[in-house]
Amino acid sequence: MSSSDDHLVSMIVSSTGKSHLRQIHAVLLRTSLIRSSDVFHHFLSRLALSLVPRDLDYSRRVFSQRSNPSVSHCNTMIRAFSVSETPGEGLRLFRSLRRKTFPPANPLSSSFALKCCIKSGDLLGGLQIHGKIFSDGFLSDSLLLTTLMDFYSTCENSAAACKVFDEIPKRDTVSYNVLISCFLRNKRTRDVLFLFDKMMKEVDGCVKPDGVTCLLALQACASLGALDFGKQVHDFIDGNGLGGALNLNNTLVSMYSRCGSMDKAYEVFNRMRERNVVSWTAMISGLAINGFGKEAIEAFEEMLKCGISPEGHTLTGLLSACSHSGLVREGMMFFDRLKSGEFMMKPNLHHYGCIVDLLGRARLLDKAYSLVQSMEVKPDSTIWRTLLGACRVQGNVELGEGVISHLIELKAEEAGDYVLLLNTYSSVGNWEKVAELRSLMKEKRIHTKPGWSAMEVQGQVHEFIVDDVSHPRKEEIYKMLAEINQQLKIAGYVAEVASELHNLDSEEEKGHALTYHSEKLAIAFGILMTPPGTTIRVTKNLRTCDDCHNFAKFVSRVYDRVVIVRDRSRFHQFKGGFCSCNDFW
């Protein structure tokens, strides 16, 4: 480039806004320097990729004036489209580029085109590009294959993502992070822990977890309730100079909270040099799900004193704290403040759901139903399900049936909704209705989701299903469970046969059917594998049934253990024969 070209390029790179770029554009047109491929490339890149806010229409017009754009010019526009609201245009430009006499000279075209497919969710387009990558001989390009892996991850095809990962010649931290993100997105959380462990051992040489890896691993630990592994990730964060990262500290607070370890969550929160609304929300929500309602309110008031305004999620955490702790007066007071506009927002569906749950837990079912009917926004399926849960607890069959009709009207009914109604019928002994509803579910091909329970022992997560015989120590587990049942019966435990939704001939048959629920197997495994006095932590994917809840209460008293069960909606902390949920969940 000439000195004048250098000067113009320098001006383009240092340009501060759209008006400045328009002036430069006028100079380029007047002097014909726009014909210089290199100058044009810098101008287009600045316009399409660096201008804030981006002006894609202007970029498109400038690009169209180039009669014979180079691969680099096309790549710039494909890249711009990949982060725009019209990613399909980028894919069309890529295909136009392919149809020309020369093939793309580098793999960047394919990489940016894949990002267009990721943005638009175009599975077929991505598969076609994968074929082009193979035919173009780009399979040795690690960065391109990492993008391809990200594409399959977004399409929730973890098997294809794994296959691409295995083909990457030189894996780095980014490629590992993409695969870990894929596993997390596809609920393969145990594989996330395996990969993080593999990275810590540096199997692939210089590959080492970074802040993103730790963030994803902590999310997996939170999902599984893997407290011990979460502590290992925490140690890695502190040992590698990452402890000052705000997002990691926020995620640590959330992880410890969701694993039922509020003392560790407090420890992280208190040492944070900087806190934002996400930090406070994580703390308030953690206190909420662990049943510390009054402490959550105190944290909220302290946040306001610090001059931090709440977000929608913060209010959801606060209201759910009131709900889980039975603080009806406080919950209604905060809801009234929210409706008055004090927090600069209107109540959303989550906020209404918390109040419906609050009133339902307080056995104010009529008020809960009246609130749903008077909502300023249309109730969604979650609102109706919350009300249905209250109907189950109070045995209100008539309202429960009405709620189901609303869910059917929304075309949002799920297997769990019918199970709640089945529970409502069985709680009042209406087996005829149970049989009718089961027939309807069979007719509509509604299948219940298989329940599982997980427990972490020595950094390894063990999963159980009902009547599980897959565990290598199954004989010891079943022997321990039989011994536990014997001890609990002496203490007065009687199976809650209403939890068994099949109309079996005798109470004994129903009790036997409840014996080997996944949660009981996990608790038995915990007692078998841990020293006396050790807290037992179980994670469930479904709502815990009445009988398992009662079973855990007796275990906590008879074996003098704290038993913490996290089901799909909240924590149950069993201690001395009592539960933190006050038997409403």
Side-chain angles (χ1 to χ4, degrees):
M1 285 193 301
S2 67
S3 58
S4 60
D5 287 358
D6 287 337
H7 177 66
L8 269 171
V9 168
S10 178
M11 285 179 61
I12 291 168
V13 172
S14 62
S15 59
T16 56
K18 187 175 177 180
S19 60
H20 194 190
L21 277 173
R22 283 186 178 277
Q23 292 171 11
I24 293 172
H25 191 192
V27 172
L28 293 178
L29 291 171
R30 191 170 60 249
T31 60
S32 298
L33 285 171
I34 195 77
R35 295 175 184 173
S36 165
S37 179
D38 197 50
V39 172
F40 180 82
H41 176 66
H42 278 89
F43 180 72
L44 184 64
S45 297
R46 188 68 179 171
L47 186 63
L49 302 174
S50 303
L51 190 65
V52 180
R54 291 189 180 93
D55 190 336
L56 206 54
D57 288 336
Y58 187 12
S59 306
R60 194 188 287 111
R61 290 197 302 272
V62 170
F63 178 74
S64 66
Q65 291 168 3
R66 190 81 183 180
S67 59
N68 190 24
S70 69
V71 173
S72 296
H73 302 153
C74 292
N75 285 350
T76 298
M77 287 305 296
I78 297 170
R79 182 182 179 185
F81 285 125
S82 74
V83 292
S84 75
E85 296 304 313
T86 55
E89 287 192 60
L91 194 55
R92 285 194 290 273
L93 179 56
F94 172 75
R95 287 169 177 159
S96 172
L97 183 64
R98 301 275 323 177
R99 285 194 294 269
K100 294 191 175 182
T101 54
F102 55 87
N106 56 55
L108 283 176
S109 308
S110 298
S111 180
F112 295 142
L114 275 172
K115 289 178 180 178
C116 289
C117 295
I118 292 171
K119 178 81 172 178
S120 62
D122 188 344
L123 175 61
L124 180 59
L127 292 172
Q128 290 171 343
I129 295 170
H130 190 173
K132 298 298 182 185
I133 291 170
F134 182 82
S135 61
D136 290 341
F138 291 153
L139 289 175
S140 61
D141 190 292
S142 297
L143 286 175
L144 176 56
L145 292 187
T146 299
T147 305
L148 180 61
M149 187 168 55
D150 192 23
F151 161 73
Y152 281 120
S153 168
T154 306
C155 295
E156 299 186 355
N157 189 339
S158 58
C162 287
K163 189 175 179 181
V164 174
F165 179 80
D166 291 337
E167 293 171 356
I168 295 176
K170 189 177 179 181
R171 301 182 194 115
D172 59 8
T173 302
V174 174
S175 56
Y176 268 91
N177 285 349
V178 171
L179 186 59
I180 288 172
S181 177
C182 172
F183 285 155
L184 199 58
R185 185 182 284 122
N186 288 274
K187 295 182 172 47
R188 292 177 56 175
T189 40
R190 292 175 69 178
D191 291 323
V192 172
L193 306 191
F194 170 79
L195 266 185
F196 185 87
D197 192 52
K198 184 178 178 182
M199 290 179 75
M200 284 204 297
K201 293 173 182 175
E202 298 187 347
V203 173
D204 282 31
C206 62
V207 174
K208 189 177 180 181
D210 62 6
V212 174
T213 325
C214 294
L215 199 70
L216 296 170
L218 289 172
Q219 290 173 13
C221 291
S223 177
L224 282 170
L227 178 62
D228 290 342
F229 201 99
K231 289 178 179 176
Q232 291 179 38
V233 180
H234 189 177
D235 289 342
F236 180 88
I237 289 169
D238 287 345
N240 288 271
L242 300 171
L246 181 60
N247 62 342
L248 284 176
N249 281 316
N250 289 343
T251 308
L252 278 168
V253 172
S254 179
M255 184 275 293
Y256 281 126
S257 300
R258 292 187 63 195
C259 290
S261 181
M262 284 310 301
D263 54 340
K264 292 292 290 183
Y266 263 123
E267 186 182 307
V268 174
F269 185 78
N270 288 333
R271 79 173 190 186
M272 290 171 68
R273 291 189 293 269
E274 177 191 359
R275 297 179 190 136
N276 59 10
V277 67
V278 178
S279 317
W280 286 98
T281 299
M283 195 69 219
I284 291 166
S285 299
L287 290 165
I289 60 175
N290 282 277
F292 298 106
K294 291 182 179 178
E295 291 83 352
I297 292 173
E298 289 171 7
F300 180 78
E301 298 292 1
E302 184 65 27
M303 181 192 76
L304 295 181
K305 287 178 186 176
C306 292
I308 296 177
S309 299
E311 294 180 338
H313 291 303
T314 320
L315 270 301
T316 300
L318 177 68
L319 294 175
S320 73
C322 295
S323 171
H324 286 166
S325 299
L327 304 173
V328 179
R329 184 180 61 81
E330 293 87 343
M332 294 308 297
M333 179 265 292
F334 281 117
F335 189 61
D336 288 340
R337 287 170 65 183
L338 173 60
K339 287 195 296 183
S340 73
E342 179 181 340
F343 303 121
M344 307 301 290
M345 68 182 86
K346 290 184 177 181
N348 62 31
L349 285 167
H350 297 293
H351 302 145
Y352 276 107
C354 291
I355 298 302
V356 171
D357 189 46
L358 172 72
L359 295 171
R361 288 175 188 275
R363 301 188 181 277
L364 300 171
L365 203 53
D366 290 339
K367 283 190 176 181
Y369 187 47
S370 296
L371 177 65
V372 174
Q373 290 180 308
S374 64
M375 282 172 57
E376 294 179 13
V377 290
K378 186 178 180 181
D380 68 351
S381 57
T382 304
I383 298 286
W384 290 114
R385 286 190 186 105
T386 303
L387 193 59
L388 184 59
C391 293
R392 176 198 67 83
V393 173
Q394 297 179 44
N396 192 321
V397 172
E398 185 179 351
L399 183 54
E401 290 173 334
V403 170
I404 283 287
S405 68
H406 282 291
L407 287 167
I408 292 171
E409 184 182 330
L410 289 171
K411 297 182 179 178
E413 75 270 28
E414 295 177 353
D417 305 327
Y418 288 94
V419 171
L420 280 174
L421 190 57
L422 282 170
N423 274 304
T424 307
Y425 286 139
S426 67
S427 67
V428 296
N430 194 336
W431 296 108
E432 186 179 338
K433 281 288 187 179
V434 169
E436 284 179 19
L437 190 54
R438 281 197 171 279
S439 297
L440 178 64
M441 290 173 68
K442 188 174 181 181
E443 181 185 320
K444 297 179 73 170
R445 296 183 179 179
I446 296 171
H447 302 288
T448 55
K449 184 190 294 184
W452 56 260
S453 296
M455 183 184 178
E456 182 192 29
V457 176
Q458 297 175 349
Q460 184 177 356
V461 178
H462 300 259
E463 288 186 3
F464 301 89
I465 58 173
V466 65
D467 297 326
D468 203 330
V469 292
S470 63
H471 198 279
R473 303 189 66 169
K474 59 181 179 293
E475 291 180 6
E476 296 171 85
I477 294 169
Y478 277 92
K479 185 178 178 182
M480 175 56 72
L481 183 55
E483 181 185 316
I484 292 170
N485 274 313
Q486 189 175 7
Q487 294 297 323
L488 299 194
K489 284 177 183 175
I490 293 171
Y493 164 71
V494 178
E496 293 274 355
V497 292
S499 296
E500 173 50 47
L501 300 179
H502 294 87
N503 188 16
L504 301 176
D505 292 334
S506 68
E507 301 286 295
E508 186 179 347
E509 283 182 290
K510 292 179 182 178
H512 181 76
L514 294 166
T515 301
Y516 305 117
H517 278 192
S518 65
E519 186 179 329
K520 293 181 180 179
L521 293 172
I523 291 173
F525 180 68
I527 292 175
L528 176 68
M529 296 298 295
T530 60
T534 305
T535 297
I536 296 173
R537 302 173 189 275
V538 177
T539 301
K540 286 180 63 70
N541 68 325
L542 302 177
R543 173 192 168 276
T544 187
C545 76
D546 292 357
D547 180 60
C548 285
H549 191 268
N550 195 33
F551 177 87
K553 285 200 292 187
F554 271 89
V555 167
S556 72
R557 178 161 63 85
V558 172
Y559 285 83
D560 194 23
R561 300 265 197 142
V562 174
V563 180
I564 298 176
V565 178
R566 191 187 84 200
D567 67 11
R568 69 180 180 187
S569 60
R570 67 163 295 152
F571 274 91
H572 301 265
Q573 187 167 122
F574 302 93
K575 188 175 181 180
F578 296 94
C579 180
S580 59
C581 77
N582 295 319
D583 297 339
F584 195 113
W585 72 100

